[in-house]
Amino acid sequence: MTTHRSAFDAAELRAQFTDAGINTKCIASIWKYVLQNPGCEFDEIPDLPSSAYLLLHSKFKPLTSAIHSVLDSTDGVTTKLLIGLQAVIMTYDTRLGKYGGKPRLGGPRTTLCISSQVGCKMGCRFCATGTMGFKNNLTSGEIVEQLVHASRLTSIRNVVFMGMGEPLNNYTALVDAIRVMTGSPFQLSPKRITVSTVGIIHAINKLHSDLPGLNLAVSLHAPVQEIRCQIMPSARAFPLEKLMTALQTYQNNSRQKIFIEYIMLDGMNDEEQHAHQLGKLLETFQVVVNLIPFNPIGSSSQFRTSSDQRVSEFQKVLRGTYNIRTTIRKQMGQDISGACGQLVVNLPDKGTRENTSLLTDIEDLRI
């Protein structure tokens, strides 16, 4: 049986059109029509060459996924899409935040949290996704389709690759997907796209040249290698010293801030000595540190959430002693299993995949 690919699998679609002698300039118009017309068929797209219709029907589908349900959190700003893939929409009103002691200007902005894999190989012990192991990579089209579905519900301003999976372990599909997102019809600025990684060094080394202007976030979570290996088994393959060297090179080339994600685990990595160790590790970098309150992933969780006071004290050390901009992540979507680290496939036999949300708003961290 022939498996039809998503029309948003850019590399495959371009290759097929080129081999068939079809002008690839019409691809953007195909994407635009599919985006604007839910449930459409290829025959409905106007002004394509006759050979394009035949090829599209034989090898592609307008979409390979559909929304199964839409869950709205009681927080009023988080929506989880249960689809054949994984995505979470978060709306954040900038007027709720402060900068320089004053309320920010602006209004509601919407961020889409996207998954790049089903499951994850990294096995982070504080993350629900890590408990399910790795299932498969998403294609570039499956990644883009998350943006297609979300864009039909609301206008998406920012995209963060912080859902299920390690984006840099699906590097080719990631790069292809982001190139689609920054082109027509989506036209997202690279500055509004953030890729989060546990620190895949060889991929970080080529990320800037492949996707210039992108935001990089690093799931650091510990200031020393020993603790990092305890909570992130994959860290053994990416020693902290080598990771920091790669990040320094990345920053020298990109001239951009790097976002550091740091989950707060009671008694594990949240003490004052850890704050000083982290400050010394990062003092030569231009970074924004985002402290993440831990979301329990069930009664069997081996970790506890740090107290609000402990998180605040940790932040004060980084800000006051090391002058490092440090934010505390606002938690959203916990009631719909849409908060950071709660993403896991609970019903594999029925194909339902649950999802995660993160962040306050990435734009507020960039200033």
Side-chain angles (χ1 to χ4, degrees):
M1 185 177 74
T2 302
T3 300
H4 288 70
R5 298 286 292 269
S6 167
F8 289 91
D9 273 321
E12 182 67 18
L13 186 58
R14 288 194 184 99
Q16 292 286 346
F17 270 36
T18 299
D19 290 346
I22 302 170
N23 193 332
T24 58
K25 290 183 179 180
C26 65
I27 290 177
S29 63
I30 295 172
W31 291 340
K32 182 176 181 180
Y33 193 90
V34 173
L35 177 64
Q36 296 177 347
N37 297 274
C40 72
E41 297 294 338
F42 289 130
D43 289 339
E44 301 169 25
I45 305 174
D47 303 324
L48 297 180
S50 58
S51 56
Y53 292 111
L54 292 171
L55 189 150
L56 288 168
H57 276 296
S58 66
K59 296 189 176 182
F60 295 91
K61 288 184 177 181
L63 292 174
T64 57
S65 63
I67 296 177
H68 296 165
S69 61
V70 178
L71 303 178
D72 293 317
S73 171
T74 55
D75 63 20
V77 295
T78 307
T79 298
K80 180 167 68 172
L81 307 184
L82 290 177
I83 57 181
L85 310 173
Q86 309 78 29
V88 173
I89 300 171
M90 298 153 288
T91 300
Y92 177 69
D93 193 330
T94 59
R95 293 168 294 189
L96 298 176
K98 292 185 177 182
Y99 186 67
K102 299 180 180 179
R104 294 179 178 274
L105 300 176
R109 294 195 296 240
T110 305
T111 295
L112 174 66
C113 181
I114 282 181
S115 295
S116 56
Q117 298 177 313
V118 180
C120 185
K121 296 178 180 178
M122 300 297 99
C124 297
R125 295 194 170 114
F126 50 80
C127 178
T129 307
T131 67
M132 61 176 283
F134 174 72
K135 305 301 181 183
N136 61 271
N137 284 322
L138 298 183
T139 68
S140 62
E142 289 173 328
I143 293 171
V144 175
E145 283 187 17
Q146 295 171 72
L147 177 58
V148 173
H149 289 301
S151 296
R152 290 172 175 172
L153 297 179
T154 187
S155 177
I156 300 298
R157 186 180 180 98
N158 304 303
V159 167
V160 293
F161 283 82
M162 298 182 177
M164 187 180 289
E166 164 54 58
L168 297 190
N169 268 351
N170 191 13
Y171 190 84
T172 299
L174 172 76
V175 171
D176 287 346
I178 291 176
R179 286 173 176 166
V180 172
M181 293 176 182
T182 55
S184 178
F186 301 103
Q187 300 289 359
L188 285 175
S189 167
K191 294 181 180 179
R192 292 181 178 168
I193 299 176
T194 300
V195 171
S196 175
T197 176
V198 300
I200 312 298
I201 294 173
H202 63 273
I204 291 173
N205 289 338
K206 57 183 179 179
L207 188 63
H208 174 66
S209 60
D210 288 336
L211 295 169
L214 193 77
N215 293 307
L216 176 64
V218 179
S219 296
L220 197 62
H221 302 314
V224 295
Q225 178 72 0
E226 181 181 0
I227 298 176
R228 202 161 187 260
C229 289
Q230 289 177 33
I231 62 177
M232 304 171 67
S234 63
R236 295 184 180 90
F238 308 105
L240 188 58
E241 183 178 352
K242 291 183 178 179
L243 173 59
M244 301 312 293
T245 299
L247 294 179
Q248 189 68 72
T249 301
Y250 178 89
Q251 186 155 80
N252 291 342
N253 293 332
S254 68
R255 303 296 179 184
Q256 291 177 258
K257 283 187 175 72
I258 295 173
F259 301 102
I260 301 295
E261 298 167 305
Y262 194 97
I263 195 163
M264 298 294 291
L265 303 172
D266 183 46
M268 175 63 71
N269 65 351
D270 65 343
E271 298 175 2
E272 183 177 348
Q273 62 171 326
H274 300 131
H276 284 290
Q277 288 172 331
L278 183 62
K280 291 174 182 176
L281 182 69
L282 300 174
E283 59 186 352
T284 62
F285 289 82
Q286 292 295 314
V287 297
V288 176
V289 174
N290 192 211
L291 302 179
I292 309 169
F294 169 63
N295 289 304
I297 54 176
S299 58
S300 62
S301 177
Q302 60 182 299
F303 300 112
R304 296 187 306 274
T305 304
S306 300
S307 67
D308 290 345
Q309 181 179 351
R310 181 67 64 85
V311 175
S312 179
E313 290 171 350
F314 200 99
Q315 181 188 43
K316 287 178 181 178
V317 170
L318 294 177
R319 280 181 168 180
T321 304
Y322 300 95
N323 196 31
I324 295 174
R325 187 167 179 216
T326 308
T327 63
I328 299 173
R329 180 168 293 174
K330 175 180 171 63
Q331 293 301 92
M332 299 184 287
Q334 291 170 309
D335 59 320
I336 56 173
S337 295
C340 177
Q342 291 183 321
L343 174 56
V344 68
V345 175
N346 286 331
L347 300 171
D349 294 337
K350 296 183 180 180
T352 302
R353 298 169 186 171
E354 294 194 0
N355 315 273
T356 187
S357 68
L358 310 133
L359 278 208
T360 317
D361 192 301
I362 199 67
E363 291 184 22
D364 289 335
L365 300 182
R366 204 162 41 236
I367 297 174

